Amino acid sequence: FSIPASEHSTITSWGREGECDAMRNMLTRYPKGAVACVSDSYDIYQACEKYWGTELKSLIEARDGFVVVRPDSGKLPDIVLEVLDKLAGKFGTSQTPTGHKLLPPCIRVIQGDGIDINSLEMILNVMTDAGWAADNLAFGSGGALLQKLHRDTQKCAFKCSNAMVNGASVDVVKDPITDPGKKSKKGRLTLE
């Protein structure tokens, strides 16, 4: 089972000032069904409150489907609760029959960064303790589920650093406020 999903360069190639437009593009290109959008390219909190929760809120609520917000950096389990709280502050929640908070059906969260068998349990326990329903969150299968050798442990990842947009060269950079160690290089790079 797969859904349309953005990755960092499909957002950052729009530039920091175009991040909301890149997110809007995902919603208009995929007007039905589930669509996931990485939201930590620069500021996950701004993305949750200003973009998803304000500027794009009516578009999200009117969709025939739901948006899955993807934080891809930050300290676990804190980032999951922070994103849920920010989205709840804008979209509200209902209560499940067991008394847990549930975001509206138009918006959910996916956590893939840092997921392994231990963090799965830790996140679900913290969510339960904070009164959140597990149905708010999906889990991605990051490299930690396979082995603990991946881009974060090796401190090496290949990222888009420059793109041609309408015939013009555009520098592309990822710079999440929740993990400065994941900042990428920008511009045309050379190996020497």
Side-chain angles (χ1 to χ4, degrees):
F1 174 62
S2 185
I3 64 172
S6 67
E7 59 94 25
H8 285 101
S9 68
T10 62
I11 301 298
T12 58
S13 62
W14 291 65
R16 188 180 297 263
E17 67 287 341
E19 183 178 28
C20 186
D21 290 330
M23 293 170 171
R24 181 180 291 106
N25 182 62
M26 288 293 295
L27 299 178
T28 56
R29 294 278 179 167
Y30 304 100
K32 293 182 179 181
V35 62
C37 194
V38 67
S39 301
D40 76 322
S41 295
Y42 305 108
D43 185 340
I44 183 66
Y45 309 115
Q46 176 174 282
C48 290
E49 293 182 312
K50 184 177 179 189
Y51 302 155
W52 299 125
T54 303
E55 293 182 37
L56 303 173
K57 184 179 179 190
S58 61
L59 188 57
I60 291 168
E61 291 173 332
R63 287 184 84 249
D64 179 16
F66 60 96
V67 173
V68 184
V69 176
R70 180 179 147 216
D72 197 45
S73 59
K75 183 176 182 264
L76 290 176
D78 303 349
I79 192 65
V80 172
L81 294 179
E82 291 165 358
V83 167
L84 288 170
D85 287 339
K86 298 286 184 195
L87 294 173
K90 293 297 184 172
F91 289 90
T93 61
S94 61
Q95 198 171 60
T96 67
T98 58
H100 293 88
K101 296 177 281 189
L102 184 63
L103 290 168
C106 64
I107 190 123
R108 291 292 185 265
V109 178
I110 185 169
Q111 180 65 39
D113 185 53
I115 296 302
D116 62 24
I117 194 67
N118 298 316
S119 63
L120 280 165
E121 183 177 5
M122 172 186 62
I123 291 166
L124 289 171
N125 286 337
V126 169
M127 284 177 64
T128 299
D129 292 346
W132 283 103
D135 193 40
N136 289 294
L137 185 67
F139 290 100
S141 58
L145 284 174
L146 302 173
Q147 74 279 1
K148 287 283 189 167
L149 298 173
H150 48 75
R151 62 164 193 208
D152 295 336
T153 58
Q154 300 301 304
K155 292 293 183 193
C156 178
F158 290 92
K159 298 286 182 186
C160 176
S161 63
N162 186 273
M164 293 297 289
V165 178
N166 296 323
S169 177
V170 176
D171 287 347
V172 177
V173 65
K174 170 185 165 185
D175 189 12
I177 66 165
T178 51
D179 191 347
K182 287 189 172 184
K183 181 176 182 179
S184 64
K185 297 192 181 304
K186 67 178 177 179
R188 295 181 57 108
L189 308 174
T190 62
L191 289 175
E192 297 179 18

